[in-house]
Amino acid sequence: EMLCQIESFEGVLICATNFYKNLDAASIRRFNVKIRFDYLTNEGKMLFYRRIFGGKTVIEDESLVKNSLDKIDYLTPGDFKVVYQKNFYLSDISHDRIICDLMLESKSKAAFNSRKVGFANA
């Protein structure tokens, strides 16, 4: 039914999913444009660290920050925003606190990414 509704829809349709791999070919071909947003690269993590926290913390040893960030998987721009907002009212934030908070955000996604969905593997 959903595919029929997509076919007959005359407006602009935007859809999003975290489960692209679960979609079948019939549904994928209904979309003219497909854009994938992946987790940040190591360079992207450092870029967001500088932009988001550059004014809130002093980056004394950039290689230490880079090495710490390189070890954290599953980071998105939204994770940096969450950590920034969590610590917004602090006058300054330590590097260790930022890294710890980013690790917590990453771990919450890692647990979700490993969880099975549906009845197939219950």
Side-chain angles (χ1 to χ4, degrees), residues 23 26 39 58 88 101 117:
L23 298 176
Y39 296 110
V58 176
F88 181 78
D101 286 347
V117 177

Side-chain angles (χ1 to χ4, degrees), residues 3 30 35-36 43 47 50 54 70 97 102:
L3 298 181
R30 293 327 196 266
I35 301 172
R36 178 182 173 154
E43 294 79 22
L47 175 75
R50 281 190 206 109
D70 288 354
R97 182 179 182 112
L102 288 170

Side-chain angles (χ1 to χ4, degrees), residues 18-19 27 34 59 62 70 73 85 88 101 105 114:
N18 289 333
F19 301 102
S27 61
K34 298 148 196 87
I59 303 173
E62 197 156 299
D70 288 354
D73 296 322
Q85 288 175 333
F88 181 78
D101 286 347
E105 291 300 316
S114 66

Side-chain angles (χ1 to χ4, degrees), residues 52-68:
I52 302 294
F53 301 110
K56 294 284 278 180
T57 187
V58 176
I59 303 173
E60 293 177 12
D61 186 354
E62 197 156 299
S63 65
L64 174 67
V65 173
K66 183 180 178 339
N67 289 337
S68 298

Side-chain angles (χ1 to χ4, degrees), residues 65-84:
V65 173
K66 183 180 178 339
N67 289 337
S68 298
L69 289 172
D70 288 354
K71 296 175 187 174
I72 306 173
D73 296 322
Y74 308 119
L75 286 178
T76 65
D79 297 323
F80 285 84
K81 179 182 176 187
V82 167
V83 171
Y84 177 81

Side-chain angles (χ1 to χ4, degrees), residues 2-3 6 20 22-31 34:
M2 184 176 122
L3 298 181
I6 290 173
Y20 183 82
N22 295 351
L23 298 176
D24 65 359
S27 61
I28 292 172
R29 86 172 154 258
R30 293 327 196 266
F31 299 97
K34 298 148 196 87

